[in-house]
Amino acid sequence: MTALNTFKLPDVGEGLTEAEIVSWKVKLGDIVAINDVLVEIETAKSIVELPSPYAGMVAQLLVEEGETVPVGTPIISIGSEEPALAKAVPHQGLPDGVVLEAKPLGTQTRPTETETGAKPLVGSGPKADAVQRRPRRGSVAPAAAQVAAAAPAAPAVVVPVPASAPASAPASAEDELRARVLAKPPVRKAAKDLGINLSDVSPTGQRGEVTKKDLLSYQEQRANEQAAAGTFWQPAPAGSASQEQRIERIKVKGVRKATAKAMVDSAFSAPHVSIFVDVDASRTMEFVRRLKTSRDFEGIKVSPLLILAKAVIWAAARNPSVNATWTGDEIIVKHFMNLGIAAATPRGLMVPNIKDAQDLSLKELAIALNDLAVRARAGKTQPAEMQGGSLTITNIGALGIDTGTPIINPGEVAIVAFGTIKQKPWVLDGEVIPRWITTLGGSFDHRVVDGDLSARFMADVAAILEEPALLLE
Amino acid sequence: MSAAELPTTEFDEPEEAVLPAPLAEPFPTNGFAALASSGVDEGDMVQLLDEQGVLQHDPAFSPYIEALDADTLRGFYRDMAVARRFDSEGTALQRQGELALWVPLTGQEAAQVGSGRASREHDYIFPTYREHAVALTRGLDLADLLRLFRGTSNGGWDPRDKNFHLYTLVLAAQTLHAVGYAMGIQRDIKADPTTEPAAAMVYFGDGASSEGDVHESMVFAASYQAPVVFFCQNNYWAISVPFEVQSRVPLVNRASGYGFPGIRVDGNDVLAVHAVTAWALEHARSGNGPVLIEASTYRLGAHTTADDPTKYRMAAEEEHWRAKDPVARYERYLRESGMADDAFFAQVADEANELATYVRKAVLSMENPDIRDKFADVYGAPHPLVAEELAWFEQYQASFVDAENEGGAA
């Protein structure tokens, strides 16, 4: 003797998402046969009658007339018992008070657990609402992925925060920069209508322009986040019900698992030393701005990360021990730079590297960085691209973070964290003036890199950011 | 037809390449040429049973019906009534969320049963997606038809079992398939003259008749005098587009343009449809080339469960056609001719309900296909690329929160 069969609102057209309950053709206690008309509903396409999929007695009408509900919402429960029998002995499977006292329609729309007593009815629990989009596991990864975009962002750091576009992070003369965001007029209009600042959107267009698709995926992501936030906290379960239903369990596997293992291996085998340095990056900002307008760099994405990458390569050549591997018996110093860039991708954190970055011109490096970002964002990073790295940069500034203590990518001995660049008061020649300031953080494996070496390396990197012209030496 | 006359394709050996059969006798034998070539008006059509269910006489076609015994005649009713009940169950299952879509046939039973029953075992049928009653006459398990609509199969049955092709959702594509098949029959017979003569019969609608594929298939059918019967169910509505927009004249007139016979028949008169189709199939099997049949009928319901006919046509029009209902008309005829009584109709109703119950049960127990089967179908032996793609797909599937629920009830 089963308890109740619940009929969920079906999609009666092709791809309809909701329907209005126009009128019920049955009332509580009615006996219905299979295919008896239960209800009239109105969809975007038509008014249709829904025949009953079950035979039995109408136990609950779960939606009021006039209400519009998503496809998948339970609308009616039909009991399989004979009515007389049900009246005589309330069954175990039939929660008290649910069936027999026909409450006036409308007073018991969608009973909650407390109303129905012990167990939730089939399919009528709090999860009944149809979701528009199939939810993915591990909300962190996709959230970061959305904007990880051109800027390889870096949850390799202690602070995991979703990313935002790197190009926009450092804004000199903000209006000027904003004016420079490329987009076609319809996209501009759409952004305006949606109240989206185009400079917040990661561009993927061939010439670095924001495409309609970029805008829509940004909008969708934004909407999802906002929508999800409102429903994140769940009410305390009533009575003896378990906390379990308020707990979300996410299976650890794939990239998450690999990341966790790598971080633990690194953090607990390599003694980390972290150091920080504040840098006046105003000249770097100026340099980047010039490159952006230069004809040579037309169509190529340029950001301060490019200068930092170049600086790290330059500084590593002067302090070779940072570009090494510790094996226990020996220190392997590499006379090449496979420059790793930590990137938040749809599949999780990845650290693809640019092979032989030391051989690349500024322009080639810019292109390589961009390619790497595009592939990472698309989830197309190949395993080979992640192997053989020699030193890593994590661009947490793209996430709006000042600095952090990054964990070294296993097999390497140094990692550089690039903080956000903002205007701050800075003392120059005894005067306080606004300058573009950033903080560089670096973590080093103390088995290989001693304090003085790490300090010299970081100072060299900082020197380039303060004066990119040194690259010409 | 001797081997020398058999038309060939350009792929054949040059010395054998014969041009398409000359049209010395464009409309051979039975004298329907006049009907087809003089231009058929809306009102002109073969009818043996009028709207009141009274039998009429037609010198050409009545003999086909007179040759049938009472059991066969009662069988027509049984098929139509069962098909209608099956159809209503399909609609109900869709409304209950058990089928993604349903394509109702109600109103077109006579056109389908009359023609389907006229086909023989060796003939090969190419349906659209609404030929549920034809499937019934071919002996298919009707539950198999629903696999496609439940989304558990791209086909649902082995077409070779009953010479009943898979439903074709691409409008009019099946007319080309049918002509190709018919040309294959010609070649089989050429290769082995003892081969059983057979014809292909292809169903399509007034909407599909506007597709280029129909034109191409008719050109080829005529050029090669292929044994194919084009069976057009003109139900007057191509979803929401009325027939007047498709054609200014009855579709049957097109046949004369291609140079083969066309017959217009009352598609709600199961006897007339049966007689006309029997003649047409015999014409095709005998090597006389293709025939176009236009069956004038009416879709009483929606095009599919996803549209609402009240939005594009008047209730009065539906009422007009309900008066011509093929099942009710034939029931009157059977009762008045004394061939069937209450007991017979009650028995058919029971049988129809049993089928509906069976079909419902079958649908609810259909299992979701395993996606791995799709990957397994690509190569005969394991293949590293396919294995990689499958692995990627599984990982992707597993990335969804509800991944564990996959494979449950649809």
Side-chain angles (χ1 to χ4, degrees):
Chain A
M1 189 130 316
T2 53
L4 291 176
N5 290 308
T6 303
F7 182 29
K8 296 179 187 173
L9 181 70
D11 170 13
V12 295
E14 289 173 278
L16 297 174
T17 57
E18 60 177 24
E20 179 191 332
I21 303 298
V22 176
S23 65
W24 284 105
K25 304 295 180 189
V26 293
K27 56 187 189 304
L28 295 185
D30 280 359
I31 303 298
V32 295
I34 286 179
N35 291 348
D36 282 358
V37 172
L38 295 176
V39 62
E40 191 175 63
I41 65 169
E42 179 162 17
T43 71
K45 287 181 173 177
S46 56
I47 292 188
V48 296
E49 293 176 329
L50 298 185
S52 177
Y54 306 113
M57 190 181 62
V58 176
Q60 290 173 295
L61 302 180
L62 301 172
V63 180
E64 284 182 72
E65 289 181 0
E67 201 179 328
T68 297
V69 292
V71 165
T73 305
I75 57 172
I76 185 173
S77 299
I78 295 170
S80 55
E81 288 90 341
E82 291 295 319
L85 189 59
K87 255 180 190 129
V89 196
H91 279 273
Q92 297 161 338
L94 207 58
D96 291 342
V98 173
V99 179
L100 303 167
E101 272 74 53
K103 294 182 193 168
L105 182 59
T107 61
Q108 60 172 53
T109 0
R110 293 213 235 164
T112 63
E113 280 182 321
T114 35
E115 280 167 359
T116 58
K119 281 161 57 179
L121 299 171
V122 182
S124 66
K127 290 167 75 181
D129 286 347
V131 277
Q132 300 290 320
R133 199 182 167 86
R134 203 176 165 200
R136 300 289 293 266
R137 283 181 200 284
S139 54
V140 173
Q146 102 230 346
V147 244
V157 198
V158 193
V159 229
V161 186
S164 75
S168 65
S172 89
E174 220 173 291
D175 291 338
E176 193 186 336
L177 257 188
R178 184 175 305 135
R180 205 173 284 137
V181 176
L182 297 175
K184 289 174 183 166
V187 177
R188 257 181 225 293
K189 170 153 193 330
K192 198 174 163 197
D193 293 348
L194 292 166
I196 292 173
N197 184 346
L198 272 180
S199 58
D200 291 343
V201 182
S202 307
T204 64
Q206 284 205 326
R207 300 189 175 279
E209 77 272 21
V210 172
T211 65
K212 184 85 185 255
K213 208 170 152 194
D214 297 336
L215 186 67
L216 291 178
S217 64
Y218 178 84
Q219 158 70 2
E220 186 183 333
Q221 190 59 45
R222 199 174 66 159
N224 282 352
E225 280 165 7
Q226 288 167 356
T231 57
F232 180 77
W233 304 119
Q234 293 181 10
S240 61
S242 152
Q243 283 281 17
E244 190 63 21
Q245 58 183 289
R246 294 204 295 170
I247 293 170
E248 186 183 3
R249 290 174 193 276
I250 298 166
K251 198 90 183 153
V252 176
K253 54 186 175 184
V255 174
R256 178 80 267 144
K257 202 166 188 169
T259 302
K261 183 173 184 309
M263 290 301 104
V264 168
D265 287 353
S266 174
F268 295 104
S269 66
H272 281 55
V273 169
S274 296
I275 58 175
F276 307 95
V277 54
D278 284 346
V279 186
D280 175 0
S282 301
R283 289 205 169 99
T284 291
M285 299 302 284
E286 175 68 20
F287 187 32
V288 166
R289 198 159 59 239
R290 283 167 193 271
L291 287 178
K292 278 183 175 168
T293 52
S294 136
R295 198 163 291 175
D296 261 3
F297 279 74
E298 196 180 330
I300 299 175
K301 214 172 148 43
V302 182
S303 77
L305 178 65
L306 171 63
I307 313 305
L308 179 76
K310 202 69 185 167
V312 165
I313 298 167
W314 183 82
R318 293 159 60 103
N319 307 278
S321 294
V322 299
N323 197 39
T325 296
W326 169 269
T327 67
D329 306 326
E330 47 187 5
I331 293 167
I332 300 168
V333 176
K334 295 161 188 169
H335 293 265
F336 57 86
M337 173 62 77
N338 288 349
L339 183 63
I341 305 289
T345 75
R347 291 150 70 196
L349 172 66
M350 306 248 167
V351 188
N353 58 68
I354 298 171
K355 301 280 190 287
D356 289 318
Q358 79 280 0
D359 293 340
L360 302 181
S361 69
L362 195 61
K363 190 169 163 182
E364 289 166 338
L365 190 60
I367 293 169
L369 277 171
N370 202 32
D371 286 354
L372 175 145
V374 166
R375 270 201 306 283
R377 181 174 55 234
K380 287 180 177 165
T381 301
Q382 299 300 311
E385 291 177 70
M386 292 184 284
Q387 285 157 11
S390 57
L391 200 158
T392 298
I393 295 174
T394 174
N395 186 19
I396 56 173
L399 315 173
I401 298 302
D402 287 337
T403 190
T405 57
I407 294 175
I408 300 162
N409 201 23
E412 302 173 12
V413 297
I415 183 167
V416 177
F418 192 18
T420 188
I421 304 180
K422 356 180 194 205
Q423 279 196 318
K424 285 185 184 172
W426 191 257
V427 180
L428 204 68
D429 299 333
E431 270 186 79
V432 178
I433 54 168
R435 298 289 285 176
W436 291 96
I437 306 303
T438 184
T439 304
L440 295 177
S443 290
F444 301 88
D445 183 342
H446 211 319
R447 293 172 299 184
V448 179
V449 186
D450 292 333
D452 63 330
L453 178 62
S454 58
R456 275 206 303 275
F457 171 74
M458 289 297 280
D460 281 344
V461 175
I464 295 295
L465 290 184
E466 284 184 351
E467 183 44 270
L470 286 176
L471 286 172
L472 297 173
E473 79 169 6
Chain B
M1 180 178 278
S2 77
E5 287 170 351
L6 183 68
T8 64
T9 72
E10 64 272 31
F11 303 114
D12 283 340
E13 292 301 309
E15 59 269 23
E16 282 219 305
V18 189
L19 281 174
L23 293 176
E25 267 188 292
F27 310 116
T29 61
N30 299 337
F32 300 109
L35 195 67
S37 58
S38 62
V40 176
D41 292 331
E42 190 63 31
D44 295 339
M45 57 184 185
V46 177
Q47 187 185 63
L48 297 181
L49 211 54
D50 69 18
E51 287 165 30
Q52 282 68 48
V54 179
L55 197 61
Q56 310 292 313
H57 186 76
D58 181 291
F61 291 110
S62 287
Y64 284 90
I65 299 306
E66 285 153 11
L68 302 175
D69 61 24
D71 268 350
T72 307
L73 291 172
R74 278 191 291 267
F76 290 169
Y77 177 84
R78 178 247 169 217
D79 289 348
M80 291 196 290
V82 167
R84 180 168 289 192
R85 179 66 186 85
F86 168 74
D87 187 50
S88 70
E89 197 66 16
T91 299
L93 283 164
Q94 196 279 338
R95 293 289 183 239
Q96 290 156 0
E98 301 296 345
L99 300 179
L101 182 75
W102 183 243
V103 188
L105 78 88
T106 295
Q108 302 180 215
E109 294 87 349
Q112 296 192 9
V113 168
S115 57
R117 281 287 167 206
S119 68
R120 290 190 191 158
E121 191 187 344
H122 286 86
D123 297 332
Y124 198 102
I125 308 299
F126 289 84
T128 67
Y129 39 72
R130 202 190 296 280
E131 273 63 68
H132 319 317
V134 182
L136 176 76
T137 67
R138 296 296 293 186
L140 263 78
D141 180 344
L142 292 190
D144 287 343
L145 297 184
L146 301 180
R147 294 182 194 282
L148 179 69
F149 296 100
R150 191 168 169 85
T152 62
S153 169
N154 292 330
W157 61 92
D158 183 345
R160 290 165 301 194
D161 285 348
K162 307 288 183 190
N163 276 6
F164 186 75
H165 203 65
L166 296 177
Y167 275 1
T168 299
L169 304 185
V170 178
L171 276 188
Q174 75 277 12
T175 58
L176 295 166
H177 307 159
V179 172
Y181 188 94
M183 290 167 68
I185 294 175
Q186 289 178 306
R187 277 148 189 78
D188 284 347
I189 293 175
K190 185 183 173 189
D192 175 7
T194 64
T195 306
E196 178 93 11
M201 177 154 64
V202 57
Y203 289 84
F204 60 104
D206 44 303
S209 76
S210 298
E211 295 272 336
D213 285 0
V214 171
H215 170 66
E216 291 157 28
S217 60
M218 287 185 175
V219 167
F220 268 74
S223 297
Y224 292 96
Q225 290 291 83
V228 57
V229 172
F230 294 97
F231 195 97
C232 176
Q233 290 174 85
N234 182 352
N235 68 18
Y236 291 94
W237 286 95
I239 309 187
S240 57
V241 179
F243 175 68
E244 304 88 83
V245 179
Q246 307 282 349
S247 177
R248 300 282 169 162
V249 296
L251 287 173
V252 69
N253 291 304
R254 292 189 184 170
S256 61
Y258 297 102
F260 55 78
I263 306 176
R264 193 155 188 280
V265 63
D266 180 351
N268 284 7
D269 171 359
V270 68
L271 297 180
V273 171
H274 188 270
V276 163
T277 312
W279 171 81
L281 284 168
E282 192 48 46
H283 176 93
R285 279 187 217 109
S286 316
N288 297 317
V291 177
L292 168 63
I293 297 172
E294 178 191 356
S296 168
T297 180
Y298 193 76
R299 149 164 73 77
L300 286 172
H303 169 72
T304 72
T305 45
D307 72 292
D308 177 2
T310 63
K311 297 221 167 125
Y312 52 76
R313 67 190 189 192
M314 306 301 285
E317 181 185 309
E318 287 177 23
E319 284 316 305
H320 170 76
W321 278 94
R322 272 185 206 286
K324 304 180 182 201
D325 187 291
V327 182
R329 182 193 305 192
Y330 196 59
E331 179 180 340
R332 272 200 295 277
Y333 165 68
L334 287 183
R335 283 185 189 277
E336 278 164 29
S337 65
M339 269 188 284
D341 54 14
D342 287 346
F344 168 76
F345 292 108
Q347 181 207 324
V348 169
D350 286 349
E351 196 183 330
N353 285 329
E354 268 171 40
L355 176 76
T357 307
Y358 158 72
V359 160
R360 166 174 294 271
K361 206 176 148 201
V363 163
L364 297 182
S365 64
M366 280 175 191
E367 288 185 5
N368 284 342
D370 188 338
I371 189 72
R372 287 172 202 82
D373 294 347
K374 292 288 172 209
F375 289 87
D377 285 347
V378 180
Y379 287 99
H383 189 286
L385 177 63
V386 174
E388 183 188 326
E389 288 174 351
L390 174 60
W392 180 90
F393 184 81
E394 286 181 335
Q395 190 190 349
Y396 172 73
Q397 283 294 74
S399 73
F400 291 101
V401 170
D402 58 354
E404 275 83 18
N405 302 333
E406 283 295 281

